[in-house]
Structures are given as structure tokens and as C-alpha cells.
Amino acid sequence: MRKSGRKLKSLFYLTIIVVLCIFWGGCNKKGEITFEQAADEVFSEEISNQSEVGESKETERMKAGGTDVETDAWIYVDVAGAVRTPGVVKLARGARVYEAIELAGGFAKDAAISAVNQASVLQDGQQLYIVTVEEQKTKQLSSSEGSLETSGEGRVADAGKVNINQASEEELMTLPGIGASKAADIVRYREEQGRFEQIEDIMNISGIKEAVFGKIKDKITVQQ
């Protein structure tokens, strides 16, 4: 409809120019030049209008297609466990744990708040699980019972092994196949998800699968 309207508008201008040429003295050479110049201006305006329409349509097409230059500025985190309204929340990249908890309605009454590192930085696609006080007590009890296991000589059975629940990044890097990046991931996992219940849980870390686990399983422990 817009294109048809512009054509009618251009035709209207041309008709007026022709009438003016006839009225001012006919189609002499000077009149013809004036007519051509005027016609050129009309057609130039038409081309400019078409260009603007094209740009407008391209902008609309990009919007319709969901183009979003700020997509990378957001992350999505699944907040579960002892919060008031569990679910997926949208946060700015670089957001902290406490911000995700706020968007999930805050801590539930039975949440083990002291077990949560609220200053930890979140990652896109992460699940943030908040344990209850009861769950925390169960884990602590399990850990306490396990620490009492001793060898026949009366020494702690896992003595000399790297405790993945307590080791620093530097200590973790002494394990075969564990570099700085994986060591940092192990520490981050402890802060966000809680202690490792068994050594196999270390395979929850991205990049640590059967091959790496096979190299370190005899060198690590979860006991205190």
C-alpha cells in the first residue's frame, strides 16, 4: 500500500510539472531541461523512499527473527532445594549466589544458610541446590562416622591421600590430570554444592570422567 501511494504521489508531481511547462510557454529547449531536472528530483526522492522502506523492513525482519545483541549478557540458573520458590531464574552474567536466592523468593525456613557461599559467582546452566538443616546434619554425621575408619595398624586408612573436601587448589594440582582449571572447579563445586560424599562424586566436575578418575582414585579421599 505504501509503495502504491508513493507512485501516485510521483505521478501527481509529474502531472503538475507538465501543466506548468505548457502554461509557461510550451516545450522549448529551456522548458525541457527544467522538466527533466524536476523529473530527476522526483525519481530521486522515490528511490530514497524505497531505500528507507527497505531498511525499515530489514529492521523488522531482524526483530521478528529474535536477533538480540545482548543475549550474552544474561545467564539462567536452576535454583532448587530449600528456597521458597524453586525454579529457573534469569540473572546478569557475573551474578552471585545471593542474587539467585533472592529471585527464588529467599531461603526457606529450614535452609542451612551457613552451608551456602552466597558470594560465589554463578555460571550459565548451573543448578544451585540449597540444603536443609537436616540434610546438613546427615552429611556431617556421615562424615564423622567415616573418619573413624582405621587400618589394622591403627592409622587412618586414608592417610597420605588428598582430601578433595579440604584440599587447596595447589594440593589438588598435585594429582595426575588435575590442572589449575580443574582444581578451581573442584573448590567451586564444594562451595556451591557441599562436600563430596564419595570419591566417585568428583566425576560430577566437568572434564573429570573415567579416564582421569582412574588415575586419581587411589590418591584421593573424602574422609577427614
Side-chain angles (χ1 to χ4, degrees):
M1 292 294 291
R2 293 180 178 177
K3 187 174 181 180
S4 177
R6 290 191 179 90
K7 286 184 176 180
L8 290 173
K9 185 177 180 181
S10 299
L11 183 60
F12 175 74
Y13 287 153
L14 287 171
T15 302
I16 292 176
I17 292 169
V18 171
V19 172
L20 290 174
C21 285
I22 295 173
F23 181 79
W24 284 336
C27 298
N28 55 27
K29 185 174 182 180
K30 184 176 180 180
E32 289 175 355
I33 293 174
T34 303
F35 175 83
E36 290 174 357
Q37 290 175 340
D40 286 342
E41 291 179 2
V42 172
F43 285 119
S44 295
E45 180 183 357
E46 178 66 18
I47 292 172
S48 176
N49 290 335
Q50 290 178 355
S51 176
E52 291 176 359
V53 170
E55 292 177 358
S56 176
K57 288 183 177 179
E58 178 64 15
T59 301
E60 292 176 359
R61 184 189 64 77
M62 292 177 66
K63 289 182 179 179
T67 302
D68 186 359
V69 296
E70 296 184 356
T71 298
D72 291 338
W74 301 99
I75 62 171
Y76 295 85
V77 175
D78 180 15
V79 186
V83 291
R84 293 179 181 176
T85 55
V88 176
V89 297
K90 179 181 178 182
L91 303 115
R93 188 168 297 278
R96 307 279 175 167
V97 167
Y98 78 90
E99 295 176 280
I101 294 172
E102 288 177 356
L103 290 178
F107 288 108
K109 291 182 179 179
D110 58 346
I113 300 176
S114 63
V116 183
N117 180 0
Q118 298 187 54
S120 183
V121 177
L122 295 164
Q123 303 296 325
D124 185 40
Q126 176 182 339
Q127 183 185 62
L128 175 62
Y129 185 84
I130 309 301
V131 299
T132 64
V133 173
E134 189 64 32
E135 288 173 333
Q136 185 184 33
K137 288 181 179 179
T138 301
K139 288 184 178 182
Q140 290 174 343
L141 179 61
S142 175
S143 174
S144 176
E145 291 175 348
S147 66
L148 297 177
E149 296 179 5
T150 59
S151 66
E153 298 178 354
R155 294 175 299 176
V156 176
D158 291 328
K161 295 183 179 182
V162 175
N163 188 330
I164 58 176
N165 281 322
Q166 297 177 342
S168 64
E169 291 185 22
E170 290 74 16
E171 291 171 328
L172 290 167
M173 288 169 62
T174 63
L175 296 169
I178 304 298
S181 177
K182 288 187 177 67
D185 289 341
I186 293 171
V187 173
R188 186 181 303 112
Y189 181 92
R190 291 188 326 224
E191 294 174 345
E192 297 175 354
Q193 306 297 333
R195 58 179 284 108
F196 295 96
E197 294 301 319
Q198 53 189 4
I199 61 173
E200 288 79 8
D201 289 344
I202 200 171
M203 288 189 288
N204 292 333
I205 306 298
S206 176
I208 302 180
K209 300 305 177 187
E210 292 289 347
V212 176
F213 180 71
K215 297 177 182 179
I216 65 175
K217 64 180 181 179
D218 295 329
K219 303 178 185 296
I220 61 174
T221 180
V222 295
Q223 309 303 337
Q224 295 182 346

